[in-house]
Amino acid sequence: MLAPVTRVPLRQALADLPPYVPGGRAPVGAAAFKLSSNENPYPPLPSVVAAIVDAAADVNRYPDMYATELSEAIAASLGVAPETIVTGCGSVAVLGHVLAAVCESGDEVVVPWRSFEAYPIAISLAGATGVRVPLAPGGRLDLEAMAAAVTPRTRVVLVCTPNNPTGPAVHADELATFLAAVPGDVLVVLDEAYVEFVRDPDVPDGLAVFADHPNVVVLRTFSKAYGLAGLRVGFAVARPRLAAGIRAASTPFGVSHAGQLAALASLRATSELLARVDRIVGQRTRLLDGLRAQGWEVADSQANFVWLPLGEAATGFAERSARAGVIVRPFAGDGVRVSVGEPEAVDLFLEIAEAAHAR
Ligand SMILES: *Cc1c(COP(=O)(O)O)cnc(C)c1O
C-alpha cells in the first residue's frame, strides 16, 4: 500500500497557475463538429500518412535530436539560414524554451490580454512575472500600451498575431512604431501560429520584420495550417546566438521521428495544403459575413477562428451550441471562440448563432 499523503511541497508558481483548458471533445459516439481547438478540419494527406507509417518502423531509435533535415527544409522554404531554426514539440514548447533561455527569476514578460492561454502558464513556469496589457477595442493588440509597459525588468514581449482568441493581426505601421520604442535588448516574440491564414495586406510578414530586427524571434507551427496538431511540431526563427541558447534550453529529442518525417512530407505538399487553407479562409469569410448579417458584432479575424464577445452569456451559449452539435470554446465571462471548420459545420453553427441572437 502507498502511504496516501506526500509532504513534498510544490512550487508556489504552480498553485498560482491558471489551468490550460483544452477545447471540448464530442462525447464518445455522439456526432458533433469539434470547433473548439482551432484544428484543421482536413485529415492528413496520403503522402503524410505514408511518411508517418514509414517512421513507425524506427521507433526503437531516438529521433535526430536537432531535426537536421527538417530544419534545413524549413530554412530553405523560408529563405533563412538553417542555424536560425530551432524545432520543438509544438511551438508552445518552443515558447517555453525561449523563456527558459532568456528569463531570470522575477523578470517581466509583457503580454497582451486576453490572448493565448498558454502564455501565463509558460511565463510562470519560467519563474518570470507576466505583465498583462488589455486589448484595444475590436480585440486588437494595444501595441502602444504594450511598449509603455516595458520597464528595466522586462526581458520579453509576446506579440500574438493574429491574436488567439480574438482574431485580428497587427499591422506593419503599428509594429514598426512599437519596435522602434522597445529597447534592443528586450526580446520580441512574434507568435505567428496562424500566419498562413492572413489575407489582410497591412499585416507584415514576420520574417521580414525578423530580418530587420535582431531582437525579434518568430514562432511558427505545423499544427494549424499544416494540420499536424497531433504530432507536435513547431519552431522558432532566431539570430544564431539566440537560437543556440533556445536549443540549449530545449528538451532533448523533443520532436519525434514521425513528427519530423510528417513535417517534411507536408513541406513537400505545401501547395496542396495551402489550397486547403484557401478553402478554410473562404469559410471564414462566409462565417463572418453570416454572423454580421444576423446582427452580431464580430471583430476581424485573420486566423482560422472567430470570436463572439458574449460576456456573461459565453458559457451558456457554448452549452447550447454543444447540444445542437457544434463544440465551441467558451472563455467564461468573456466570449466564445469558434474555429472555422468544414462547410457543413459553418452552416450548422450559423443556425445556432441565429437562434441565439434571436433569443
Ligand atoms: C495553436 C497555437 C500555437 C501552436 O501550438 P503548437 O504547440 O505548435 O501546437 C501557438 N501559439 C498560438 C497563439 C496558438 O493559438
Side-chain angles (χ1 to χ4, degrees):
M1 265 304 273
L2 290 177
V5 177
T6 176
R7 293 172 53 230
V8 178
L10 289 166
R11 281 174 59 196
Q12 186 56 39
L14 289 177
D16 300 341
L17 277 189
Y20 189 106
V21 182
R25 296 175 159 272
V28 176
F33 293 107
K34 182 174 183 289
L35 303 186
S36 53
S37 298
N38 299 343
E39 292 153 338
N40 196 310
Y42 295 103
L45 295 171
S47 61
V48 174
V49 174
I52 296 168
V53 170
D54 270 356
D58 292 319
V59 294
N60 54 315
R61 306 287 176 194
Y62 284 105
D64 171 1
M65 177 145 139
Y66 295 115
T68 315
E69 198 185 344
L70 175 59
S71 298
E72 283 169 2
I74 293 169
S77 77
L78 302 180
V80 297
E83 60 266 30
T84 64
I85 304 295
V86 189
T87 57
C89 183
S91 59
V92 168
V94 180
L95 173 64
H97 301 147
V98 168
L99 297 178
V102 300
C103 290
E104 303 285 1
S105 166
D107 282 345
E108 291 175 0
V109 178
V110 173
V111 278
W113 201 253
R114 176 172 295 277
S115 188
F116 188 29
E117 62 184 325
Y119 293 162
I121 300 171
I123 292 166
S124 298
L125 289 180
T129 301
V131 176
R132 295 181 178 191
V133 176
L135 297 179
R140 304 193 64 83
L141 265 56
D142 189 343
L143 286 178
E144 215 178 300
M146 287 173 69
V150 171
T151 74
R153 297 290 327 247
T154 307
R155 291 266 42 86
V156 181
V157 184
L158 300 184
V159 176
C160 191
T161 176
N163 188 49
N164 178 6
T166 55
V170 304
H171 286 168
D173 51 354
E174 54 181 353
L175 188 59
T177 307
F178 167 81
L179 286 166
V182 171
D185 61 352
V186 170
L187 186 68
V188 175
V189 176
L190 295 184
D191 184 348
E192 295 193 317
Y194 302 95
V195 66
E196 295 87 355
F197 299 96
V198 172
R199 294 295 179 271
D200 178 348
D202 292 334
V203 174
D205 176 359
L207 291 171
V209 178
F210 163 78
D212 289 342
H213 297 274
N215 60 329
V216 166
V217 164
V218 174
L219 293 183
R220 294 201 178 169
T221 179
F222 284 90
S223 293
K224 308 287 165 49
Y226 285 86
L228 293 183
L231 277 177
R232 319 303 304 122
V233 191
F235 60 92
V237 191
R239 289 292 184 283
R241 193 174 62 81
L242 284 177
I246 301 164
R247 236 174 256 126
S250 293
T251 310
F253 310 107
V255 184
S256 70
H257 187 51
Q260 295 184 30
L261 291 195
L264 273 166
S266 300
L267 285 174
R268 284 193 284 270
T270 294
S271 56
E272 213 171 330
L273 291 169
L274 292 185
R276 291 174 159 190
V277 168
D278 272 339
R279 292 207 283 280
I280 296 168
V281 169
Q283 293 305 312
R284 173 179 81 200
T285 305
R286 204 163 70 82
L287 178 56
L288 282 170
D289 290 351
L291 289 169
R292 286 175 181 145
Q294 292 171 9
W296 292 90
E297 264 193 46
V298 274
D300 174 45
S301 174
Q302 294 297 314
N304 66 342
F305 54 82
V306 166
W307 172 251
L308 296 179
L310 283 153
E312 293 305 325
T315 308
F317 178 97
E319 284 165 6
R320 282 196 300 282
S321 180
R323 280 198 296 275
V326 178
I327 300 168
V328 298
R329 173 71 168 87
F331 294 83
D334 202 353
V336 159
R337 187 192 67 200
V338 51
S339 311
V340 180
E342 42 281 79
E344 305 74 34
V346 171
D347 288 340
L348 181 54
F349 183 74
L350 282 171
E351 284 174 29
I352 293 167
E354 178 148 50
H357 199 64
R359 277 163 63 98

